[in-house]
Each structure stands twice: as structure tokens, then as C-alpha cells.
Amino acid sequence: MWLDLRDIIEMPGASKDFSTNPAPEALLLPPILGFRTPPSASGTVSNTAGVLTLRGRLWAQMRCVCDRCGREFDRDKTVETAVPLADVPEDRDDGVSYPLEGDGIDVDRVMTDCFLLDAEGQWLCRPDCKGLCPVCGKNRNDGPCGCRQNVDPRFAVLEQLLDK
Ligand SMILES: [Zn+2]
Ligand SMILES: [Zn+2]
């Protein structure tokens, strides 16, 4: 969504609210299968002594797949950001501030970047996901599988060799 900032660019103390639904396709990281509801974002751009700052929050209800056990799970996530908007493009592209495009800003782009940058490295169905048994492939979150537990590591190597 394009947010026109003409009314506040020259008005210290002024602010403008926004509320938008960023395109879900742009938010699809590999562990995300889909969104249960349309992702939504809202926030405010404010002019503080001539400096524009965008403060926003994006809320997503996702259907994900666990990195460790492959099971599907639901996750709700809120990300927040506060970034300065520069009225001239920065010399260095440090990703910390956004240049204005004309007299406005594409708030979907800012909020989408914020979501992607915030994404954690591992997506687990639960923090203590036990993963799959390397021997029989059973999901260990469902309980023990009957394979021998706590095998001596040296012995486990021998077992793997014998399996081949
Ligand atoms: Zn899992
Ligand atoms: Zn097993």
C-alpha cells in the first residue's frame, strides 16, 4: 500500500496512520505453508523535528512445517519495527533507513522486509521437539518408538556399519 506523506513531510509534530494487508506471497518463507488469515499490518509515520519515522506492527497467522520432525503446526507471529524514512536516498544502503519514493512510501514493502528479517533460523513445532528416530523414522514427540535408547556412540557406529 502506498502511503502519501505530503501532509506531514513539512509538518514537525504531525503523524499519519496506516493499515494494510501485505501480499502473502511476499512473506512466504520455506517453512511457511500458508496463512490462515490474511496478514495485516498497521502503524504510524510521524514527523519528529523534521525526521520521519515509521513505526509498524505486522501480524500473521501461519501454517508451518517443523524443521525437525516435518509435522505441520500453527504459529501466530507479531513483528514490530521502527525505521527512519530519509527524504534523499542514503549513500550507503545499510538497510536501516528507507528512502522516500516521491512524497510517500510503500508501507507493504517496509513491513514485508521487517517480517523476513525477523524470521528465526529454526521453525520448530515446539521448542523441545524431539524430532524423528534416525533408526525407524517414528516421530519421537508421540512417545518412545521401541528402538534401543542411549546406545553407546561407539556401538551405534558399529550398528550402522552392520545395517549396510
Ligand atoms: Zn517438530
Ligand atoms: Zn525408532
Side-chain angles (χ1 to χ4, degrees), residues 133 135-138 145-147:
C133 170
V135 179
C136 70
K138 183 182 153 122
C145 56
C147 296

Side-chain angles (χ1 to χ4, degrees), residues 100-140:
L100 289 180
E101 301 154 52
D103 291 329
I105 186 88
D106 179 355
V107 289
D108 285 6
R109 186 168 69 90
V110 177
M111 296 314 299
T112 298
D113 283 357
C114 158
F115 178 85
L116 297 177
L117 288 171
D118 185 82
E120 59 264 70
Q122 261 201 325
W123 293 66
L124 300 179
C125 60
R126 54 193 227 200
D128 63 342
C129 171
K130 296 184 175 69
L132 304 176
C133 170
V135 179
C136 70
K138 183 182 153 122
N139 192 325
R140 284 168 163 169

Side-chain angles (χ1 to χ4, degrees), residues 3 5 9 16 42 47 49 52 60 69 76 82 87 93 95-97 100 106 110 126 128 131 135 147 156:
L3 186 66
L5 297 171
I9 279 180
K16 190 161 189 178
S42 61
N47 181 331
L52 294 180
C69 73
D76 296 354
D87 52 0
D93 182 15
V96 178
S97 70
L100 289 180
D106 179 355
V110 177
R126 54 193 227 200
D128 63 342
V135 179
C147 296

